[in-house]
Amino acid sequence: MKFPLFRLLKLGNGIKQEECFMPYLIVAVVVVIFIAVVFIVAGKDSKERIDMVSKLTEEQRNILMSTEVNFVEKNAWVQKAMVAKMKEKGNKIDIRLLWFNEVLQNNEYNKITIADVAITKSEQEEHNVKEGDFVKFYFAPEKSIGRTKIIWE
């Protein structure tokens, strides 16, 4: 008895050759799993963004929405953002910033959205950064390294 994912093909002169569908099945399963993971992560970030934005005061919301965007390079700019969440990881601190997107033409255009940045503990202590503070941040979405960073004044 043959494995059900094999099929016999009839070629010319009565020759038969087995065709295996297993590689196609494996690729399909991997693609489905990848798509599911992307949707789960995107949904989690979206839920977290909605939660963070809902906790903003009217004053914080107005500050973010009225912030000025200053382009410093072709596709990079500096603008004001708010420290929404801080999480210590060893000698670094991961920060989730809330900022108003009036530049990137995507599904979060003209909305308050999230950017991630990391700073050292010494930077945090030196500048006394805490949740709820407003900071200037550099954003270059097309860069893979150094695309977001806080600009200290």
Side-chain angles (χ1 to χ4, degrees):
M1 183 169 162
K2 298 278 185 195
F3 190 75
L5 293 175
F6 288 96
R7 185 176 76 182
L8 291 175
L9 291 179
K10 201 172 203 181
L11 302 176
N13 299 330
I15 301 171
K16 293 180 179 179
Q17 178 181 354
E18 290 183 353
E19 180 181 339
C20 178
F21 291 100
M22 186 65 81
Y24 299 115
L25 178 65
I26 292 170
V27 168
V29 168
V30 168
V31 168
V32 167
I33 290 171
F34 176 77
I35 291 171
V37 167
V38 167
F39 275 105
I40 289 168
V41 169
K44 180 183 171 205
D45 274 356
S46 178
K47 183 181 179 207
E48 185 177 15
R49 180 187 66 80
I50 291 168
D51 185 48
M52 288 179 185
V53 171
S54 70
K55 293 177 182 175
L56 291 175
T57 66
E58 194 62 35
E59 180 185 8
Q60 290 170 326
R61 189 182 315 271
N62 289 337
I63 290 171
L64 288 173
M65 293 176 74
S66 65
T67 190
E68 186 177 323
V69 175
N70 297 311
F71 282 87
V72 292
E73 297 171 28
K74 183 180 179 198
N75 290 312
W77 63 91
V78 174
Q79 78 178 79
K80 193 179 285 188
M82 190 186 91
V83 177
K85 186 176 178 183
M86 297 174 70
K87 185 176 183 181
E88 285 190 36
K89 287 192 174 179
N91 191 35
K92 294 206 173 251
I93 298 175
D94 287 343
I95 297 177
R96 290 217 113 169
L97 298 171
L98 289 176
W99 63 285
F100 185 68
N101 176 18
E102 58 182 306
V103 178
L104 298 175
Q105 302 279 334
N106 60 18
N107 62 335
E108 294 183 344
Y109 181 69
N110 272 341
K111 292 182 183 173
I112 296 173
T113 190
I114 296 173
D116 293 317
V117 66
I119 61 172
T120 63
K121 282 187 180 179
S122 60
E123 286 177 312
Q124 187 268 333
E125 291 166 0
E126 180 182 338
H127 299 283
N128 194 27
V129 178
K130 56 191 175 307
E131 290 182 6
D133 287 352
F134 285 92
V135 295
K136 273 190 176 180
F137 91 111
Y138 168 86
F139 191 57
E142 293 180 356
K143 289 186 178 180
S144 56
I145 297 174
R147 64 185 280 162
T148 58
K149 59 185 168 187
I150 293 177
I151 306 295
W152 307 112
E153 297 183 297

